[in-house]
Structure formats: C-alpha cells, structure tokens
Amino acid sequence: MDKNAFTAASRIPEGAGKNPVTAARIKSTVNFYKALVVLALASFLLSGNPRLQNAALAILFPGEAFVGLGGLWLIGLPVTLYASTNTPQIQNSLLISNDRLLFALSLFLWFATGNIIAPFVTWPGLALLVPSLPAAGSTTSHGVYTVTGLAALAYYSLTRWANKLRATTVARRETRNAVLPKVIAELQEQTKQTPTPRDLELDPELLGRLRYLIQVSLQDQDDFKNFDTVEQFQPSAIRYQITEMVYALAFANRFYTPSFRCGYLHEGQKGLLKKYCQEKVLWYWKYEALWGALV
C-alpha cells in the first residue's frame, strides 16, 4: 500500500466516545449525592432543630437554604422572579430564585474559567451561612417535600436529557457509518493521484501573504506594530495571532518548501515562539489563574 494513501476505519465502533474514566467519575459523584440525600432527609426528619433542618434542605438542592425562610412561595418561583412586593415571604422566595440564578452562573464560570470555588459558595456555602441567620430559627413542615420534589425533578430531567443525548449520538453514528465506506473510498482514490509540480506551487496572492507573514515574524521580539491589540482574554488576543502565524509558516514549510531548512523561514518561526513568551503576550495568565482558582 502507498505510504501516502489515506487510511481510516470503515465504521465508527460502538465503544467510541464512551470515556470510561469520565463515566466512572460521574457515577462516583452521583453515588455521593445519593448519600447526601439520605443524610439530609434523616437530619430533617430526626432532628428538631430548625437550623439543622434548614441546612439539611440546603444540601438537597442549590438555593434551598432559604426554604425555611419562605418556602411556601417556592410554588410561584417563575412569578417571583418578576414580582415586586414588600411581603417577607415573597422577598424570601426572590432570594431562592436569585440563588438559583447565581448557582447556574457559577456553573458557567466553572466551565468557562475553571472557577471551582463559585459552585461551592453558591450551594454548600449557603448551606452553612443561611441557617445561622435569625430568620432560620423556624422552619416550614412542607419544606422537605418541596425540596425533595425539586431534587427528584432535577435528577429526572438530567437523566432524561442524558438518555436523549445518548440516543441522538447512536443515531448520528449509524447515519455516518452508512456513508463512511463511500467517503473513505473517495479519499483513498484522491490520495493515489500523484500531485504535479504545479499543484505544489503557491499562486502569486498566497505567495504575497506568505511573504508578509515572514516579514512580521522577523520583527524584533518586542515589536508588535503589525498585531491587533484588542484584549488578551478572548480569541482576539495577541497569542492567538501568533499561533496562527506559526501554523501558517509551518504548513508552508512542510508542504511547499520542504527542502528549505534553516534560513529566514525557520528564523521567523523561532522568532514567533520567542515573541509568544514576551510579557505583553502572557501577562493575562496571572489574572486568569487568579480568577480561575481564586488563589
């Protein structure tokens, strides 16, 4: 077989993408939460201390640390987000709603920035804080049913979503397996064709762009006059501009000038790597680490 020929599996195997390590960790987390549910319900039913009961409710579901303060209004949760009143019950229900929003926001921040402290603060953190408030000295008897129902509903919704996602993934895999042999055969046929010298030449426009990238890459390490400085935390950051230039020069060197070793093309690539290490490029990381880990 030609060493340059395209090779690939004829179908996507059933075990592809199962991620056994992730599945094992999710299973451990679910089992840990089940143990917390048993502990919380036992604490609520067996303890006569309202503060301990409020803490137990808070363990079951994020934001339920406030149920003992105004759990009756939890039924009107969608309405209370926009309610405007001075009654303590609705104000407490607004606290529940806002805390739910804060917990959802904390999960987003966890995913987006690695902020592992925010979910803890908005769930178990409030479970420790709210029961110490004066208003937590009394509790509502229906709180355990409300919170347990919400926790069960959340568990059911997540399970249903996971099953639906799994079914969609399997259906997509079967659809792709139906066309995969034909696509692979076409790619293998294309790779058998020997490229002509003309196919391995850059046209004048691409050659001009490559020349410009080389000129920029050969600038001094602290010279950023040909880079756009917008912000340094999102895709417009300078580091992404540098990495794209590195990819372009490496691609050109590999496929269009494979015999051009050393020289200004390699010097440009080395210069970009050194430029990437400048403080102007990497200063964002100390703030990223501070925000992500809160250390």
Side-chain angles (χ1 to χ4, degrees):
M1 179 180 293
D2 185 359
K3 65 178 182 179
N4 294 323
F6 179 83
T7 58
S10 59
R11 60 181 287 106
I12 303 174
E14 295 183 0
K18 284 191 174 181
N19 300 323
V21 175
T22 301
R25 291 181 178 177
I26 292 177
K27 183 178 180 180
S28 299
T29 303
V30 171
N31 291 335
F32 178 72
Y33 178 71
K34 290 179 179 179
L36 286 181
V37 169
V38 174
L39 176 63
L41 292 177
S43 300
F44 186 93
L45 297 176
L46 300 179
S47 174
N49 188 331
R51 299 186 186 279
L52 181 59
Q53 290 179 331
N54 280 322
L57 294 180
I59 294 175
L60 285 175
F61 205 71
E64 301 316 320
F66 297 106
V67 168
L69 308 180
L72 178 62
W73 293 95
L74 188 60
I75 301 174
L77 180 61
V79 179
T80 57
L81 283 172
Y82 307 98
S84 176
T85 181
N86 291 325
T87 59
Q89 291 86 352
I90 292 185
Q91 288 178 350
N92 291 330
S93 185
L94 280 172
L95 287 175
I96 297 173
S97 304
N98 291 334
D99 180 68
R100 295 258 179 71
L101 294 176
L102 287 175
F103 183 70
L105 178 61
S106 70
L107 292 180
F108 171 76
L109 293 177
W110 177 29
F111 173 78
T113 67
N115 193 323
I116 61 176
I117 303 299
F120 176 84
V121 171
T122 54
W123 190 344
L126 287 174
L128 298 174
L129 174 63
V130 173
S132 64
L133 299 177
S138 60
T139 188
T140 53
S141 59
H142 63 272
V144 64
Y145 305 107
T146 303
V147 178
T148 304
L150 286 173
L153 179 62
Y155 182 79
Y156 168 77
S157 300
L158 289 174
T159 303
R160 183 178 179 182
W161 171 79
N163 292 335
K164 184 178 180 180
L165 180 62
R166 188 178 300 108
T168 302
T169 302
V170 171
R172 186 184 299 116
R173 182 188 67 201
E174 296 304 323
T175 301
R176 292 176 177 176
N177 280 337
V179 299
L180 196 56
K182 179 181 178 181
V183 173
I184 292 177
E186 293 176 353
L187 292 175
Q188 289 176 339
E189 186 64 27
Q190 292 176 8
T191 56
K192 290 180 181 179
Q193 301 175 3
T194 303
T196 63
R198 182 177 295 274
D199 296 329
L200 298 179
E201 292 182 0
L202 292 172
D203 58 51
E205 181 181 357
L206 290 179
L207 192 60
R209 294 182 180 181
L210 178 60
R211 185 181 298 111
Y212 172 76
L213 292 180
I214 293 176
Q215 291 175 351
V216 175
S217 68
L218 293 175
Q219 294 176 182
D220 293 337
Q221 294 181 17
D222 56 351
D223 185 359
F224 293 89
K225 64 182 179 182
N226 287 303
F227 292 86
D228 294 329
T229 304
V230 181
E231 50 76 34
Q232 300 304 312
F233 294 94
Q234 296 298 322
S236 60
I238 293 178
R239 62 183 179 276
Y240 294 117
Q241 301 174 46
I242 294 176
T243 53
E244 290 301 321
M245 291 179 62
V246 171
Y247 298 151
L249 294 183
F251 185 90
N253 197 178
R254 168 64 177 82
F255 293 100
Y256 292 97
T257 59
S259 298
F260 186 24
R261 303 184 182 278
C262 300
Y264 55 82
L265 184 54
H266 276 201
E267 290 301 320
Q269 296 179 64
K270 293 178 182 179
L272 289 174
L273 295 178
K274 294 178 180 179
K275 186 182 292 289
Y276 192 97
C277 298
Q278 297 300 306
E279 182 179 1
K280 184 179 180 67
V281 179
L282 294 179
W283 68 268
Y284 80 98
W285 180 245
K286 57 184 176 182
Y287 300 104
E288 188 84 11
L290 176 66
W291 170 247
L294 288 182
V295 294

